[in-house]
Amino acid sequence: MATLFLGLNASAARMDMVDVSNNNGYMSTAEYVSMRNEFGVKAVTVKISEGGTYKDPYAASNIANVQAAGMYINGYHFARYATKAQAIAEADFAGQTAKSAGLPVSAVLATDVESQEANNQSQATNDRNNAAFMQEIQKFGYRADIYTSGSWANSKMTIKGKTGWIAAYPYVPAGKKWYTNNNAWQWSGSAHFRISYGGFDVSQLYTDYYTAGQKSTVKPNNKGAVKANNQKANKNTSKPYNAAKWVKETKTYTLKTAVKLRTGASTSSNAITILPAGTTIKTDQAIIQGGYRWVRQPRFYGYGYLATGPLSNTLEYVKSGATHTYYTVKSGDSWWTIAQRNGLSMTTLASQNGKTIYTTIYPGQRLVVR
């Protein structure tokens, strides 16, 4: 599916929900406010954990900032379990991590079933494991649901009506009505907002399961709360850089390699996100500082900084005026076949599209290959 600039459903009766994770980097309250006010997004589902050990580093800040923006909040766990015992253990880990991150009780904490596709587990095995996870997660006060692809909901899992969050785009197979029969239907996996990097998964809610019983923590237009929340989240992460002189430089660059976008023009500044090779950025200023040539990228709420090369002023990490080359996924394609055809590794191909090699791709979807 073509990359989208999201601007849909701002006045629609049904509600759009975006899911975010570490792949999107730090998301401020103001960025969520923009999602809500400009694009009509009113619900966000945050990645909490993965497998039995990984905790999403942005889970707590995402939860706090979504609530401060006056939006509905839920969470999901990226499942790695292959047995019932592992499913229960992962549910315990996810529940404890969600509690620590501040996910409110009564929110949904869904199991994201994707890696099982690589393992090719049977329907009976998937049903048993998913049921165990969903039963266990309710012990933490969270409501359970299951997120999976349309093809797997159709053949490898039992997804009953009025349950389930299904990713099925750009089409729905004959006889299936996920867009009306289930809680949510993911209609895009590559939507872009002006305010943020990376492709976002966007779903439309068809029941109130992901919004029931929730109240926002501040009034949506409480600018003071928005400002205070961002100051708290960004405390000690960026410093003023007045030792050297910034010069005006309005340019557009495309990255030759993955580069960290930082909160300040220093390698010791916190990373907002890692921009994959092929990302296009627009800058407004540049400086030679700390052994590197830095540029400043305006963001919706503040700035991001990245090194373009060493202080010799050479642009080793970026190139000017380049454009992306896209490939449209065809029936029978896989991460491996597309990567081989374009001289890439599967990991590189997936990363530069904001995905993992476990993410399902669909005919008609457009992928960046250069």
Side-chain angles (χ1 to χ4, degrees), residues 197 251-255 275 279-283 295 297 306:
Y197 284 105
K251 291 187 177 181
T252 299
Y253 297 108
T254 298
L255 301 184
L275 306 178
T279 301
T280 298
I281 61 167
K282 293 184 178 181
T283 67
V295 293
Q297 184 227 21
L306 66 153

Side-chain angles (χ1 to χ4, degrees), residues 261-279:
L261 183 71
R262 298 182 181 275
T263 56
S266 169
T267 55
S268 63
S269 296
N270 288 355
I272 299 172
T273 188
I274 298 177
L275 306 178
T279 301

Side-chain angles (χ1 to χ4, degrees), residues 230-245:
N230 276 281
Q231 288 176 338
K232 181 179 180 181
N234 285 311
K235 187 177 181 181
N236 298 323
T237 62
S238 61
K239 300 178 182 179
Y241 290 88
N242 300 318
K245 184 179 180 181

